[in-house]
Amino acid sequence: MTSSSETSGSGDIIRTLELLWDTGRRPSRGPKPALTLDRIVEAAVQVADADGLDAVSMRRVAAELGTGAMSLYRYVPGKGELLDLMLDRVQKPSENPADLGGGDWRSALEALGRATLGLYRRHPWLLQVNQSRPILGPSALDGMEKVLTLIKPMGLTDPELISAIIMIDGYVVGAARTQLYAQEVERRTGLTDAEFWQAQVPALERAMATGRYPVLAALSEDAFGTDFDHFEFGLQRILDGLEVTVSRRRTGD
């Protein structure tokens, strides 16, 4: 993962929507195409997963498919449109009802949080994409429809329901970025987490001995341990807050 970023919706929006929803005009004559859009998008996702988003280019994807770069332009105009197709591909929701939680709104949002974290772990390049203005394809709308159906009983207004989803997503993005940065810095420096913190122990012990940081010095030994699931703790507290809001709304407070 690098500090560079791409932006969703940076290509031809109309053409991208045609490709996502398969509404573009198709040639009625001519030889059968050697490639398919589906194969091209899948190859691009595999390149991004293996080598990062910077590695994705029409030339690289064509090479993975054993063809020339120019042949790809018969299917997709360029990288901007290809990126939006990739985003929709990886965000396809699970068809397994069990992956959507236990049927109530809280378990649905809980499942959404965990599934989204898993998505970023499988495709870390997603964190390089500015998705503030997403192109809405079938996968995005399918996923939104399923979640909204399950959380509608919360009794919140429509903007509040959308806000609940945004809240979960924002939390997960932050957690995923922290986890991936930790993995990246270990790879780049060659230092494990344990080695990194061990190198600071002498300086930290001297600092604690000064009496300047009494609260820090009194923390238990496991305060910064790796056994505590910070992601799960934070997710549950967000859901607790929403639980209070839902309860108050139902009692008319």
Side-chain angles (χ1 to χ4, degrees):
M1 188 168 64
T2 67
S3 59
S4 63
S5 64
E6 300 281 352
T7 303
S8 61
S10 60
D12 183 325
I13 297 175
I14 301 302
R15 183 60 181 141
T16 299
L17 288 169
E18 289 177 345
L19 293 170
L20 282 170
W21 291 98
D22 195 21
T23 58
R25 296 178 61 183
R26 297 181 180 181
S28 57
R29 297 181 179 179
K32 183 179 180 180
L35 296 174
T36 64
L37 184 61
D38 189 69
R39 284 184 61 200
I40 293 171
V41 176
E42 184 61 32
V45 169
Q46 291 176 0
V47 170
D49 288 347
D51 299 321
L53 196 57
D54 290 341
V56 178
S57 67
M58 301 298 274
R59 183 181 298 277
R60 171 67 185 277
V61 174
E64 294 293 324
L65 293 168
T67 187
M70 293 305 297
S71 63
L72 266 61
Y73 290 101
R74 294 182 58 193
Y75 303 86
V76 59
K79 185 176 178 179
E81 295 81 4
L82 179 59
L83 176 61
D84 285 314
L85 297 174
M86 294 166 61
L87 292 172
D88 197 67
R89 166 63 64 86
V90 300
Q91 295 181 51
K92 184 176 181 179
S94 171
E95 296 297 329
N96 185 358
D99 293 336
L100 298 175
D104 61 286
W105 70 262
R106 177 164 181 144
S107 64
L109 289 178
E110 187 175 11
L112 174 65
R114 292 171 181 163
T116 305
L117 181 63
L119 178 67
Y120 284 117
R121 284 173 170 171
R122 293 192 301 274
H123 310 289
W125 53 271
L126 285 171
L127 292 173
Q128 294 177 248
V129 184
N130 179 345
Q131 297 188 61
S132 58
R133 296 197 301 186
I135 300 292
L136 298 178
S139 292
L141 293 188
D142 285 348
M144 185 71 76
E145 178 72 13
K146 289 182 177 181
V147 173
L148 284 173
T149 299
L150 291 171
I151 69 173
K152 190 72 174 175
M154 292 176 76
L156 304 181
T157 66
D158 289 347
E160 289 171 338
L161 290 175
I162 299 300
S163 186
I165 295 174
I166 292 174
M167 188 188 311
I168 297 296
D169 185 70
Y171 171 70
V172 175
V173 167
R177 181 173 286 112
T178 298
Q179 292 180 13
L180 290 168
Y181 279 178
Q183 294 171 8
E184 183 178 6
V185 74
E186 182 170 325
R187 177 181 59 82
R188 288 189 175 185
T189 65
L191 281 177
T192 64
D193 259 2
E195 292 169 337
F196 175 79
W197 292 112
Q198 185 60 37
Q200 297 189 60
V201 166
L204 292 174
E205 287 180 341
R206 290 194 296 271
M208 295 303 106
T210 65
R212 183 176 177 177
Y213 309 102
V215 177
L216 281 170
L219 289 177
S220 62
E221 292 185 1
D222 63 348
F224 296 99
T226 57
D227 293 335
F228 189 83
D229 192 337
H230 294 283
F231 173 80
E232 190 65 27
F233 180 81
L235 178 61
Q236 295 303 325
R237 300 298 73 75
I238 291 173
L239 296 174
D240 286 346
L242 287 171
E243 190 93 57
V244 171
T245 300
V246 170
S247 178
R248 287 177 174 174
R249 191 64 54 85
R250 289 173 176 171
T251 58
D253 184 1

